[in-house]
Amino acid sequence: MNTDLERLIELEKVDREVTRLTEEVAALPKRVAAIEEKLAEHKAAVEKAKAQIKNNEASRRQLEADIKGFQEKIIKYRSQSSSVKTNDEYRALMHEVSFAEQQISGCEDKILELMISLENDEKSLKRAEAELKTESADVEKEKAEARVRTAEDEKLLATLREKRGGLRTGVNDSALAHYDRVMRQRKSAISEARDQKCMACFVMIRPQTWQEIRTNEQIVTCSSCGRILYFDPAHEAPPEPPKKKAKARSSEAQPEAEQEPAPETTPTA
Ligand SMILES: [Zn+2]
């Protein structure tokens, strides 16, 4: 086989692997970022539950302070009631006492409501914290895996790039330039030629070119897609069964030919 052709076939394999690994390395941080985003949602849920509990406790403390205030007022009104001069004054004070008592009762109702919602908030917090814990462990595992995979890929890439450099220096400049151009445009630059067709674009190859390709001794490009073509004898169609030499002009030719299997029609362009 032509050494340039051989190297270009190898170079394409290396280039494809380099592309695959480079894409993988680029995709890994995105995957980690997606996982971390999910983790941030769980963290936010925990923070929200904690804030709700804090609010609940602050509201309760406020209500308890309010109750204390009303209780102090009641004590004050009761002590004033012993020194009032008129019934009207006394009634007014008792009215204030009753109002303060109603307020206390209202505060106590609210405290009860808060205690019930605190139970729910604490349940939410526990659930969110458990989810965060599971998720955090998963994230650490995934991140560690991504780190290992990236390191492996980078190592492999370094080896492949070195191999790539070696292969490229060995190839004729114009063949390499053609390879690079097609590679850039089509993401593949080499194609097998089989059954007189380019296996990348499936366009028929002219018989003379086909004969050239079959030798694998020249750089031949597909007239349609531009890819560099090679021939793999292992993929050649099995030869037709051997025929007896047809005695074309003999009278026996006809019956003999009928016994033979019909010859496969091979495309001729
Ligand atoms: Zn082609």
Side-chain angles (χ1 to χ4, degrees), residues 19-200:
T19 305
R20 187 187 73 76
L21 288 169
T22 309
E23 282 168 0
E24 188 171 272
V25 167
L28 283 170
K30 283 178 200 153
R31 207 174 97 205
V32 171
I35 303 161
E36 280 184 332
E37 204 174 302
K38 212 170 140 201
L39 187 64
E41 283 170 23
H42 284 286
K43 279 183 182 157
V46 168
E47 289 314 310
K48 195 182 159 199
K50 279 183 181 169
Q52 266 169 350
I53 290 171
K54 222 172 156 183
N55 282 341
N56 185 303
E57 282 164 350
S59 305
R60 197 166 141 186
R61 272 196 302 276
Q62 183 58 54
L63 288 165
E64 280 162 355
D66 291 350
I67 290 174
K68 213 175 160 197
F70 289 123
Q71 282 168 340
E72 280 162 3
K73 275 183 185 167
I74 291 170
I75 291 167
K76 197 179 80 187
Y77 296 144
R78 286 204 196 283
S79 75
Q80 282 173 359
S81 70
S82 56
S83 54
V84 291
K85 303 279 184 299
T86 65
N87 278 340
D88 282 349
E89 276 177 331
Y90 183 79
R91 265 199 298 275
L93 276 176
M94 286 306 109
H95 182 76
E96 291 295 340
V97 167
S98 147
F99 177 77
E101 279 170 350
Q102 275 172 28
Q103 292 299 307
I104 289 172
S105 172
C107 287
E108 282 169 347
D109 286 349
K110 280 180 193 157
I111 286 173
L112 199 62
E113 279 168 27
L114 284 171
M115 283 167 80
I116 292 165
S117 83
L118 182 66
E119 273 176 36
N120 290 328
D121 291 345
E122 278 169 345
K123 272 182 204 157
S124 304
L125 177 62
K126 263 189 190 160
R127 199 166 44 236
E129 277 175 338
E131 281 170 359
L132 178 62
K133 201 178 161 192
T134 314
E135 198 71 24
S136 301
D138 287 352
V139 167
E140 286 315 310
K141 200 171 144 239
E142 290 238 23
K143 275 163 94 174
E145 278 168 8
R147 268 196 297 274
V148 169
R149 175 67 70 83
T150 304
E152 282 170 0
D153 284 359
E154 302 273 19
K155 207 172 141 193
L156 207 51
L157 272 171
T159 315
L160 287 172
R161 286 193 179 115
E162 204 176 314
K163 194 175 174 187
R164 184 174 183 264
L167 285 165
R168 289 179 67 88
T169 49
V171 181
N172 160 290
D173 282 350
S174 68
L176 192 61
H178 181 83
Y179 169 90
D180 284 339
R181 200 162 42 244
V182 179
M183 195 68 178
R184 238 185 348 263
Q185 288 168 355
R186 302 196 181 272
K187 314 286 172 214
S188 83
I190 310 283
S191 172
E192 189 192 342
R194 199 192 295 179
D195 301 333
Q196 219 180 317
K197 281 195 294 276
C198 164
M199 295 309 283

